[in-house]
Amino acid sequence: MTSRFPIRQVAVLGAGVMGAQIAAHCINARVPVILFDLPAKEGPKNAIAEKAVANLKKLNPAPFGLSNEAALIRTANYEDDLALLASCDLVIEAIAERMDWKHDLYKKVTPHLADHALFATNTSGLSITALSEGFGADLRARFCGVHFFNPPRYMPLVELIPTKATRPEVLDQLETFLTTTLGKSVVRAMDTPNFVANRVGVFSILAVMHEAEQFGLSFDVVDDLTGTKLGRAKSATFRTADVVGLDTMAHVIKTMLDTLPAGKDPFAALYATPPALKALVDKGALGQKSGAGFFKKVGKDILRFDPSSGDYVAGGGKADEIVVRMLKKPAPERFKLLRESTNPQAQFLWSVFRDVWHYIAVHLGTVADNARDLDFAIRWGFGWNEGPFESWQAGGWKQVADWISEDIAAGKALCATPLPDWVGSIDAVHKPEGSWSAAEGRYKARRELPVMRRQLYPQSVLGEAAADPRSAGTTVFEDESIRLWTAPGTDDVLLASFKTKMNTLGPGVIAGLHKAVDEAEQRFAGLVVWQAGEAFSAGADLQAMLPAFMAGGAKAIEPEEKKLQDVMLRLRYAQVPVVAAVRGLALGGGCELAAYTARRVAALESYLGLVEVGVGLIPGGGGLTYLARRASELSQAGGADVDVLAFLKALYMQPATAAVSKSAIEARQMGYLQPDDVIVLHKDELLHVAISQARAMADAGYRPPMPARITVEGRSGIATIKSQLVNMRDGAQITPHDFLLGSMIAEVMCGGDVDAGSVVDEHWLMRLERERFCALLENAKTQERIMGMLQTGKPVRN
């Protein structure tokens, strides 16, 4: 049995951009954290750290799951508070990238560390071995690099970098904590400059810049070619550099130039700062933070920097259509077409692919344990859909290797170093038995850490022996809308996974959920609704409703809406526990579906909301009924004297403003998750935890809730809310149609034309919800909003 290493408290040394955000993410994970910085020269001693925490609340994207939790970070300084370090199990140093500053800090703090504490540095490229100089043998064994990517809450990658002295169990303990507690995806890197992701990722950016100049392509065209069309981040290359900061980019490139001379790296000539980048930095155009970089926004126009004139000119250049068509071909044909084409954009793309493949082949043995780690590092750290070794293998391993060698021989490559011998000795870099390790000359399987067993369907690389969750396990029932199945080793819990676009709720999914409850009640301990993709459900399928509406108007929709409501009640009152495993979007009907289950297990990055007012409707699948029930339950829990309206008004604002949670933590505050629901930090552990919850509830003798008795505010509650809406309408804060929608939401949540304090059931409220939903479908303003959303994907304000 593996021994546990509980991390009860973390200290972060350095309240800069990264240190403060790492501390914030510890709070997201419910890990107590102390944030240290220098003592302030004036005022409170902790003012520097306190200012950093205050600034976190202004950042976008938000580092906290809930911004008011910034107060949970404890601040400290190196003069008065070093004794606090003795109570910390993990200490992460995250000060500026200066070896001498880090060493000075280590001399100050290391005498105060607990004997068992893990000590790590968040350096992005300094030598971990050099940083550990001066440590005693015991501390050196507990020290390593832990490189978070920015922003730490959202970027999955963390690189773990040991020295030769780091104890293996220290890495296992830290990887377990990073994975399950902080929700990170870990790659173990070697102690080389810039480690894995930045080493290859920055080289890739430099190769793009170099080849763009060689082929005379403008920055806007290059970004159109190297973004989503290649399955990479939308910000592509030059826009990404602007966001990161051109001074930061120049610093990272200089690190490579200083630490990777020609004797160490045959590609060293490329590490000189690109002329266009240098010109921009010299003139103070540092990217987004200075208002101008490779691109500059003027009004609504995006201008691009023109190196030849040194000024900004009109942007908006796009990829040639012929090249776009090439990129849609299967990989072997795609790379052949790009290589053989005379189109400069196609030649540019081939050259960039070739340069990166050449580079990773030459350096694999010195930067990464194996090809899988390198591919994952680039996918998780730079947002590529496919790692560079994966794209090479997809194009045909030996064919691509031959093409690279031909280009090297012809002097077209960035350096004359041939591909290493191992490239010709294998026929694929990723195989079912493992991924190639150039350092060890063999295929290596994944590490067998106990924490990995929590990921039933972990992310995999092309060619690896990995089960596809869309077809894995044992199918119980499947049609074009839904699959009911069981995962290996968990055949006592039924799983329901949707197959519709964005997992929307149409007639097929509704029928499938009824079947799922039937099956679960007869043969299983519980039912889990889980999706393999990045969205739980984007809501009801408006497109599927159109034919019925065109044929029979709102009256034809009413029975369909009742079916949606009926399936919600079926889930709520099922004889077995139904658990919603939520991650990504859970909007409209998707939010309602989650709300009507017995329990929700939500990934931190879950975005729940009733957003129907954006298309001129109100929630119609039971969402308002759910919120009215919650207001009644909360008031009852508070005692006989507690007013329902106080809870109702707070919950009313969620659907009235189409508010969407920015995290699962905020969804709990908004009322869409309940206090006993579970928040999971690593999205790949979501299914494991959801199944465990269903089993635990079944083992505890689960019984469905008693039929709801809901106390409502009736006419007086409606009048109170409407009076506020009148002021907003008359003050031009909302449109007349928004007023109508807000009034209808109030009418449903207050129970309609009844006395205050009346007790109703869910069927009563759902009827009100259904009637108003269908009436709105006949409204011209609502029809404008629906058509606008279907045509443009954006809400119409009318």
Side-chain angles (χ1 to χ4, degrees):
M1 185 175 176
T2 305
S3 62
R4 291 174 57 81
F5 183 82
I7 293 181
R8 302 173 187 85
Q9 183 163 255
V10 171
V12 178
L13 311 179
V17 173
M18 283 301 288
Q21 288 194 79
I22 291 168
H25 193 59
C26 286
I27 296 301
N28 292 334
R30 297 302 180 257
V31 178
V33 64
I34 306 171
L35 181 62
F36 281 81
D37 212 298
L38 295 166
K41 292 176 181 174
E42 297 178 3
K45 281 284 193 71
N46 294 341
I48 294 173
E50 286 168 3
K51 183 180 179 183
V53 172
N55 286 338
L56 286 171
K57 293 189 274 189
K58 303 173 189 174
L59 289 183
N60 188 24
F64 289 104
L66 200 59
S67 62
N68 63 13
E69 292 189 338
L72 296 176
I73 294 179
R74 182 175 181 178
T75 56
N77 69 81
Y78 302 128
E79 196 170 284
D80 300 335
D81 303 314
L82 289 177
L84 295 174
L85 291 171
S87 64
C88 297
D89 305 297
L90 169 62
V91 177
I92 301 172
E93 170 271 304
I95 69 168
E97 295 285 289
R98 282 272 302 267
M99 184 81 72
D100 54 340
W101 290 359
K102 289 180 187 283
H103 276 147
D104 287 346
L105 180 63
Y106 295 171
K107 287 172 192 167
K108 192 178 292 184
V109 301
T110 52
H112 299 272
L113 300 183
D115 291 342
H116 70 281
L118 308 185
F119 189 33
T121 172
N122 182 56
T123 178
S124 60
L126 295 178
S127 165
I128 310 301
T129 302
L131 285 170
S132 70
E133 285 173 6
F135 291 174
D138 179 62
L139 181 57
R140 193 179 285 123
R142 292 182 276 125
F143 181 73
C144 66
V146 54
H147 179 213
F148 287 81
F149 274 62
N150 191 23
R153 170 183 161 185
Y154 302 93
M155 293 299 288
L157 179 64
V158 172
E159 292 175 316
L160 264 188
I161 312 101
T163 70
K164 286 187 171 65
T166 308
R167 284 202 315 267
E169 60 266 31
V170 165
L171 297 175
D172 292 349
Q173 290 161 351
L174 199 44
E175 181 166 353
T176 297
F177 171 75
L178 290 165
T179 302
T180 286
T181 306
L182 296 190
K184 299 290 114 188
S185 296
V186 175
V187 164
R188 295 197 184 181
M190 295 185 181
D191 190 10
T192 55
N194 285 358
F195 312 130
V196 185
N198 276 344
R199 179 77 177 270
V200 176
V202 172
F203 173 84
S204 173
I205 292 170
L206 287 170
V208 168
M209 292 179 174
H210 173 83
E211 300 294 2
E213 187 181 1
Q214 296 298 108
F215 289 99
L217 302 184
S218 60
F219 304 138
D220 47 358
V221 170
V222 169
D223 271 10
D224 194 49
L225 284 166
T226 59
T228 53
K229 290 181 175 67
L230 293 189
R232 299 180 187 176
K234 188 177 180 182
S235 54
T237 304
F238 293 103
R239 173 70 185 138
T240 295
D242 276 353
V243 171
V244 168
L246 302 193
D247 52 342
T248 303
M249 185 68 68
H251 174 76
V252 173
I253 293 168
K254 186 175 186 305
T255 300
M256 294 177 78
L257 186 68
D258 292 345
T259 56
L260 296 167
K264 278 189 181 179
D265 191 334
F267 293 86
L270 192 72
Y271 303 151
T273 305
L277 178 62
K278 185 176 186 305
L280 288 165
V281 172
D282 287 348
K283 65 191 287 186
L286 305 180
Q288 187 170 275
K289 60 188 171 186
S290 67
F294 287 109
F295 298 101
K296 178 181 179 181
K297 190 171 185 181
V298 178
K300 291 186 177 179
D301 298 325
I302 305 291
L303 307 183
R304 65 172 174 84
F305 182 63
D306 175 27
S308 59
S309 67
D311 207 349
Y312 289 88
V313 298
K318 298 290 182 185
D320 290 344
E321 186 54 39
I322 189 171
V323 178
V324 174
R325 287 201 297 272
M326 290 179 196
L327 292 175
K328 293 177 180 176
K329 300 289 185 184
E333 185 180 355
R334 179 194 324 147
F335 295 128
K336 186 174 190 293
L337 288 169
L338 291 174
R339 185 169 188 267
E340 294 177 355
S341 173
T342 56
N343 182 293
Q345 294 182 13
Q347 292 176 337
F348 157 78
L349 285 174
W350 164 255
S351 299
V352 169
F353 276 114
R354 177 205 63 221
D355 295 344
V356 173
W357 290 332
H358 187 189
Y359 190 81
I360 60 176
V362 168
H363 288 301
L364 175 61
T366 55
V367 302
D369 180 63
N370 59 73
R372 183 194 314 105
D373 279 358
L374 190 147
D375 275 347
F376 276 152
I378 294 299
R379 279 167 47 176
W380 296 335
F382 281 78
W384 294 18
N385 289 349
E386 186 178 64
F389 275 122
E390 290 180 283
S391 63
W392 179 346
Q393 183 160 321
W397 182 259
K398 289 192 174 295
Q399 176 61 80
V400 168
D402 288 344
W403 285 336
I404 297 169
S405 295
E406 287 172 22
D407 279 11
I408 295 169
K412 295 178 180 178
L414 292 178
C415 77
T417 300
L419 290 176
D421 291 343
W422 66 261
V423 171
S425 70
I426 63 174
D427 57 2
V429 73
H430 302 301
K431 288 191 170 186
E433 60 264 35
S435 293
W436 185 257
S437 170
E440 297 180 30
R442 65 185 181 95
Y443 288 96
K444 291 188 72 172
R446 289 184 180 231
R447 287 186 304 282
E448 286 289 335
L449 281 182
V451 69
M452 296 308 169
R453 292 198 285 270
R454 296 169 57 85
Q455 299 182 19
L456 301 185
Y457 297 100
Q459 295 171 70
S460 59
V461 289
L462 177 75
E464 190 176 14
D468 183 343
R470 292 167 297 185
S471 56
T474 303
T475 299
V476 174
F477 169 82
E478 187 170 12
D479 63 14
E480 61 185 12
S481 300
I482 196 168
R483 180 178 180 235
L484 308 181
W485 59 293
T486 60
T490 60
D491 55 6
D492 55 333
V493 175
L494 183 64
L495 308 177
S497 301
F498 306 164
K499 296 169 63 178
T500 50
K501 185 178 180 182
M502 294 291 286
N503 300 318
T504 50
L505 306 174
V509 169
I510 291 169
L513 285 171
H514 277 294
K515 186 171 182 62
V517 175
D518 287 341
E519 291 283 348
E521 287 180 337
Q522 291 170 30
R523 300 168 47 197
F524 297 92
L527 170 64
V528 170
V529 182
W530 175 80
Q531 318 297 1
E534 294 298 318
F536 179 71
S537 173
D541 188 350
L542 285 176
Q543 206 92 41
M545 286 187 183
L546 273 179
F549 179 73
M550 299 302 286
K555 285 184 180 177
I557 297 297
E558 199 270 346
E560 298 306 313
E561 200 62 17
K562 187 170 188 309
K563 287 178 185 174
L564 180 60
Q565 294 177 341
D566 287 347
V567 83
M568 299 299 174
L569 294 176
R570 187 80 199 285
L571 295 170
R572 173 166 162 75
Y573 294 107
Q575 296 300 306
V576 294
V578 181
V579 176
V582 180
R583 85 175 192 217
L585 298 177
L587 304 179
C591 181
E592 290 169 324
L593 173 61
Y596 275 84
T597 57
R599 180 157 296 169
R600 287 138 295 278
V601 175
L604 176 67
E605 301 310 328
S606 295
Y607 313 112
L608 291 84
L610 297 172
V611 296
E612 286 82 355
V613 296
V615 288
L617 292 167
I618 66 169
L624 300 182
T625 301
Y626 162 76
L627 291 175
R629 172 169 61 79
R630 285 298 294 144
S632 177
E633 289 168 349
L634 289 166
S635 70
Q636 290 165 19
D641 298 330
V642 179
D643 185 7
V644 175
L645 190 60
F647 294 102
L648 192 74
K649 283 163 72 174
L651 293 172
Y652 165 87
M653 293 306 296
Q654 315 305 352
T657 60
V660 176
S661 72
K662 298 181 181 69
S663 70
I665 300 170
E666 189 177 39
R668 179 180 277 153
Q669 186 189 52
M670 292 167 69
Y672 295 133
L673 298 185
Q674 295 187 29
D676 58 352
D677 288 336
V678 179
I679 295 175
V680 175
L681 272 284
H682 201 299
K683 63 182 183 179
D684 292 338
E685 295 185 357
L686 191 66
L687 181 57
H688 164 82
V689 176
I691 290 172
S692 300
Q693 287 287 311
R695 279 177 170 158
M697 293 168 78
D699 286 346
Y702 176 80
R703 293 291 301 162
M706 298 295 284
R709 290 174 52 79
I710 303 166
T711 303
V712 294
E713 284 295 300
R715 288 180 293 272
S716 63
I718 295 168
T720 300
I721 294 173
K722 273 193 176 181
S723 66
Q724 295 172 345
L725 291 173
V726 167
N727 293 334
M728 294 173 73
R729 180 194 63 194
D730 294 349
Q733 293 172 275
I734 60 174
T735 69
H737 195 52
D738 292 328
F739 174 81
L740 173 65
L741 296 168
S743 300
M744 286 187 167
I745 292 170
E747 288 164 10
V748 176
M749 290 183 67
C750 292
D753 188 13
V754 297
D755 295 336
S758 296
V759 176
V760 300
D761 63 12
E762 287 160 312
H763 295 285
W764 173 271
L765 292 173
M766 282 186 168
R767 177 182 57 79
L768 298 177
E769 202 171 325
R770 197 165 64 242
E771 288 172 355
R772 283 152 181 78
F773 179 91
C774 291
L776 282 167
L777 286 171
E778 303 280 15
N779 186 294
K781 294 287 187 185
T782 286
Q783 290 172 4
E784 285 176 19
R785 290 195 183 189
I786 292 173
M787 292 312 295
M789 179 61 77
L790 290 175
Q791 289 168 3
T792 68
K794 296 177 181 176
V796 174
R797 194 84 199 283
N798 58 0

